[in-house]
């Protein structure tokens, strides 16, 4: 919590929202956003095939095999959902008034800037809205947007559906590892579900910035919907691949915690967001986490003489705090737990 409070105090200092910079029609990106030359996004390869699309209406045993295979391969798969951007249609002033940034359960909540870890952090070209969807103990609806008036109803319903989906997926991912279907459900207790809406305005010099820096997600599962504008890129091996949106789909991403629990059989996907000069892009992201006191460690059933334990144990809360308090890039947080 101390790290969150420091970040909160830092964000009280005047840093323009990216939307404001875009509205000013700047010709050049401010220095705080410009990446060192060796960190700038190089042109990505167009994926030779779409990331795996999985139909959850298929036969159950076939789904188990497919989910397990694709999660080990890309770390991403897609299914159907639609895009919502209602909140970001409001004016900048109204968004700030309704949802000021404040300390939350694991990270800052509200509408503003996040991941500005220090005064020397290179800033990402993104604004965001963050809050918790569930459980009720962390769901502060009084800090949710008041307009549009359907916001709360829409996102509560969407959150219910995401929880159903992730529960089903965790059951299948458990089976894919040869574990009891309830293994993950029992482990995580009452799941934490957090919403983050990312808004990427057009950028005058997109080759110099990150929309969102390269990272893997520090959770169990991530469910994402976007607005059909290219910007999501996934790393596979040494190459970056541009993932073209599939209409009416969800992107589901394996997180670091699932990589640890599976003892590396499932791999969290390193990904990033890039921006462009003429189109805004928005993504609606749901992050599924265990309760804070859950010990994250490789499942004992997956360890034997030929499959040694690969990762240290860590409390879910500790992993989340470390993840949010450092200027991490790539898969540094999960790689720091690899046993030598």
């Amino acid at each position: 919590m101390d790290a969150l409070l420091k970040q909160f105090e830092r964000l009280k200092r005047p840093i323009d929202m990216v939307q404001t910079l875009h509205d000013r029609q700047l010709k050049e990106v401010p220095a705080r956003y410009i990446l060192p030359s060796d960190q700038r996004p190089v042109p990505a390869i167009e994926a030779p095939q779409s990331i795996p699309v999985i139909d959850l209406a298929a036969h159950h045993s076939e789904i188990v095999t497919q989910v397990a295979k694709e999660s080990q391969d890309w770390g991403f798969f897609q299914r159907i959902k639609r895009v919502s951007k209602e909140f970001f249609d409001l004016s900048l002033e109204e968004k700030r008034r309704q949802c000021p940034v404040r300390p939350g359960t694991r990270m800052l909540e509200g509408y503003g800037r996040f991941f500005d870890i220090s005064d020397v952090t290179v800033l990402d070209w993104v604004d965001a809205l963050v809050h918790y969807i569930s459980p009720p103990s962390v769901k502060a609806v009084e800090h949710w947007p008041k307009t549009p008036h359907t916001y709360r109803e829409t996102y509560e319903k969407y959150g219910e559906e995401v929880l159903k989906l992730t529960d089903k997926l965790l059951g299948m991912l458990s089976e894919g590892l040869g574990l009891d279907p309830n293994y993950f459900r029992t482990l995580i207790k009452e799941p934490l579900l957090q919403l983050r809406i990312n808004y990427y305005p057009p950028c005058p010099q997109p080759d110099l910035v990150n929309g969102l820096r390269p990272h893997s997600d520090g959770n169990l599962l991530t469910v994402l919907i976007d607005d059909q504008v290219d910007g999501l890129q996934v790393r596979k091996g040494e190459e970056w691949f541009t993932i073209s949106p599939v209409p009416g789909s969800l992107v589901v991403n394996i997180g670091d915690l699932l990589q640890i629990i599976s003892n590396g059989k499932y791999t969290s996907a390193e990904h990033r967001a890039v921006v462009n000069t003429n189109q805004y892009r928005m993504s609606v992201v749901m992050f599924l986490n265990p309760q804070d006191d859950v010990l994250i460690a490789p499942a004992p059933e997956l360890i034997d003489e030929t499959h040694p334990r690969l990762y240290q144990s860590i409390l879910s809360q500790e992993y989340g705090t470390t993840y949010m308090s450092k200027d991490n890039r790539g898969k540094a947080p999960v790689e720091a737990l690899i046993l030598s």
Side-chain angles (χ1 to χ4, degrees):
M1 184 59 73
D2 287 345
L4 287 181
L5 291 174
K6 289 179 181 178
Q7 195 175 352
F8 177 58
E9 290 300 320
R10 185 176 296 111
L11 291 180
K12 287 182 178 179
R13 305 169 194 172
I15 298 178
D16 285 329
M17 303 295 287
V18 180
Q19 183 180 356
T20 300
L21 300 178
H22 169 65
D23 291 344
R24 289 179 187 164
Q25 299 183 335
L26 298 180
K27 301 300 182 184
E28 295 182 351
V29 172
R32 282 292 308 274
Y33 294 85
I34 297 177
L35 292 164
S37 58
D38 62 342
Q39 294 181 18
R40 294 173 188 172
V42 296
I45 300 170
E46 191 69 31
Q49 60 182 14
S50 175
I51 55 178
V53 177
I54 296 177
D55 180 5
L56 293 184
H59 189 273
H60 178 73
S61 63
E62 295 174 357
I63 298 172
V64 171
T65 302
Q66 189 178 7
V67 168
K69 177 181 181 301
E70 306 302 3
S71 297
Q72 293 175 46
D73 187 9
W74 280 91
F76 269 92
F77 54 89
Q78 300 187 355
R79 203 189 179 283
I80 299 173
K81 204 68 183 179
R82 65 181 179 87
V83 174
S84 172
K85 62 176 184 177
E86 295 169 276
F87 177 74
F88 278 83
D89 288 336
L90 299 174
S91 68
L92 173 63
E93 294 74 17
E94 187 64 13
K95 288 193 287 286
R96 277 181 148 167
R97 185 188 70 80
Q98 293 192 27
C99 302
V101 174
R102 65 188 187 89
T105 300
R106 288 194 176 204
M107 66 177 293
L108 301 179
E109 296 185 66
Y111 169 74
R113 295 198 48 79
F114 303 87
F115 295 108
D116 298 348
I117 304 300
S118 75
D119 292 333
V120 297
T121 301
V122 178
L123 305 179
D124 293 336
W125 194 262
V126 61
D127 301 331
L129 171 69
V130 176
H131 64 73
Y132 284 90
I133 299 292
S134 69
S137 59
V138 299
K139 180 176 144 185
V141 294
E142 66 272 18
H143 296 289
W144 289 20
K146 308 300 186 295
T147 54
H149 69 277
T150 56
Y151 182 93
R152 178 174 175 179
E153 176 186 358
T154 299
Y155 278 98
E156 284 187 328
K157 179 60 177 175
Y158 179 51
E160 291 173 4
E161 295 304 316
V162 169
L163 284 172
K164 291 176 186 176
L165 172 64
T166 53
D167 182 70
K168 186 173 185 178
L169 292 173
L170 287 174
M172 292 187 289
L173 288 165
S174 295
E175 290 187 69
L177 293 170
L179 300 173
D180 184 280
N182 293 313
Y183 184 88
F184 290 118
R185 298 179 185 126
T186 302
L187 177 70
I188 67 175
K189 303 179 181 178
E190 188 176 28
L192 288 166
L193 187 64
Q194 182 190 63
L195 168 69
R196 174 176 168 132
I197 307 178
N198 296 311
Y199 179 84
Y200 306 94
C203 177
Q205 297 173 296
D207 295 340
L208 302 183
V209 307
N210 278 321
L212 201 59
R213 68 199 63 183
H215 65 287
S216 57
D217 292 337
N219 60 342
L220 282 169
L221 285 176
T222 302
V223 179
L224 177 148
I225 22 179
D226 61 32
D227 56 1
Q228 305 300 298
V229 176
D230 282 351
L232 174 62
Q233 296 182 346
V234 180
R235 185 174 181 176
K236 189 177 184 184
E238 298 302 314
E239 303 286 356
W240 285 96
F241 291 84
T242 295
I243 305 302
S244 296
V246 176
S249 69
L250 288 174
V251 176
V252 180
N253 177 14
I254 298 293
D256 291 347
L257 301 188
L258 198 53
Q259 177 173 326
I260 295 169
I261 297 167
S262 72
N263 204 37
K265 290 184 181 295
Y266 295 144
T267 304
S268 58
E270 184 178 350
H271 55 289
R272 67 187 181 189
V274 297
V275 293
N276 62 73
T277 57
N278 54 20
Q279 281 185 300
Y280 81 83
R281 176 175 176 266
M282 191 176 64
S283 61
V284 178
V285 193
M286 292 281 196
F287 299 100
L288 186 77
N289 271 295
Q291 287 290 316
D292 286 347
D293 61 351
V294 171
L295 185 66
I296 303 300
E301 295 89 340
L302 302 178
I303 300 171
D304 55 35
E305 291 183 358
T306 58
H307 301 91
R309 177 177 176 150
L310 300 180
Y311 300 96
Q312 304 173 41
S313 300
I314 190 169
L315 285 174
S316 178
Q317 182 182 37
E318 183 182 350
Y319 191 84
T321 299
T322 302
Y323 184 93
M324 293 303 304
S325 62
K326 295 182 180 179
D327 189 12
N328 292 307
R329 293 180 180 273
K331 299 190 62 170
V334 69
E335 288 172 352
L337 295 178
I338 295 176
L339 294 168
S340 57

